[in-house]
Amino acid sequence: MFEKYKLKYGESLKDVANRFETDENYLKDINNIYFSDQLKEGMDLVVPKNKNSYYEVYTIEKGDSMYQISKKYNINPQLLESLNGLDDDDYIYPGQDILIPKSGYSYYITKEGDTIESVMKTFNTTKDNFEKYNQTIYLLPGQLLVNKNR
């Protein structure tokens, strides 16, 4: 799966490859880029869409509970439920797929009054890193934001 990405001023193909956790040569191939001087600010690039790059998919088995799953993966139960749009009293059933956050990342679900600065402070990160892992930032209550742990 792919999506379009608009090249920013001063950005190299290597920067874009790092942003989307892919290989620079792969980006050259899928965009028919042969020379670096072909890159221009505002240019649309095709990039891989890593929808599940921060998650694994877990299939519910008979006898599972969200609490047991959160304990197994060392995840806060409320975060696991929120990531999957569930409440603590919602029924889960065998065969149902849920998202499990991958280790090595921090997750934050926005609430009323959050600002980019307050969320960056929560993550203890820079604006560049914050934007790297969160291409679309609305800051509406309930938005999931991600940051890679150091």
Side-chain angles (χ1 to χ4, degrees):
M1 218 175 241
F2 298 93
E3 63 184 326
K4 281 197 303 188
Y5 176 76
K6 194 169 289 291
L7 194 64
K8 296 178 181 158
Y9 176 78
E11 215 170 20
S12 70
L13 207 52
K14 184 176 183 173
D15 296 330
V16 176
N18 287 337
R19 176 182 286 264
F20 289 93
E21 298 179 359
T22 190
D23 181 72
E24 187 177 354
N25 289 325
Y26 180 66
L27 288 179
K28 284 181 180 180
D29 289 343
I30 64 174
N31 287 284
N32 295 318
I33 295 173
Y34 303 102
F35 305 101
S36 294
D37 63 354
Q38 289 179 271
L39 298 176
K40 305 286 182 225
E41 176 185 1
M43 173 182 184
D44 284 332
L45 294 174
V46 174
V47 295
K49 190 171 190 173
N50 294 326
K51 251 189 162 169
N52 294 326
S53 63
Y54 306 124
Y55 310 99
E56 298 173 21
V57 176
Y58 176 81
T59 303
I60 303 293
E61 297 174 0
K62 185 176 181 176
D64 277 346
S65 72
M66 291 298 277
Y67 179 76
Q68 290 169 325
I69 296 166
S70 65
K71 198 170 176 183
K72 177 180 178 179
Y73 287 95
N74 196 27
I75 304 164
N76 177 305
Q78 287 80 23
L79 174 64
L80 184 61
E81 290 167 353
S82 293
L83 289 175
N84 287 284
L86 298 170
D87 291 321
D88 59 347
D89 59 347
D90 283 345
Y91 176 76
I92 58 172
Y93 53 90
Q96 178 181 1
D97 288 337
I98 61 170
L99 298 176
I100 304 290
K102 287 185 179 178
S103 62
Y105 294 94
S106 296
Y107 301 84
Y108 181 80
I109 298 174
T110 57
K111 56 188 179 301
E112 188 73 38
D114 279 336
T115 64
I116 289 177
E117 289 76 21
S118 68
V119 177
M120 286 187 331
K121 187 175 181 179
T122 299
F123 282 140
N124 190 26
T125 191
T126 64
K127 188 171 185 176
D128 285 342
N129 271 345
F130 184 66
E131 290 175 350
K132 177 179 180 179
Y133 296 105
N134 302 282
Q135 280 80 41
T136 306
I137 304 167
Y138 296 114
L139 289 181
L140 296 173
Q143 181 183 10
L144 175 68
L145 297 172
V146 178
N147 189 60
K148 187 168 186 160
N149 297 339
R150 296 179 194 183

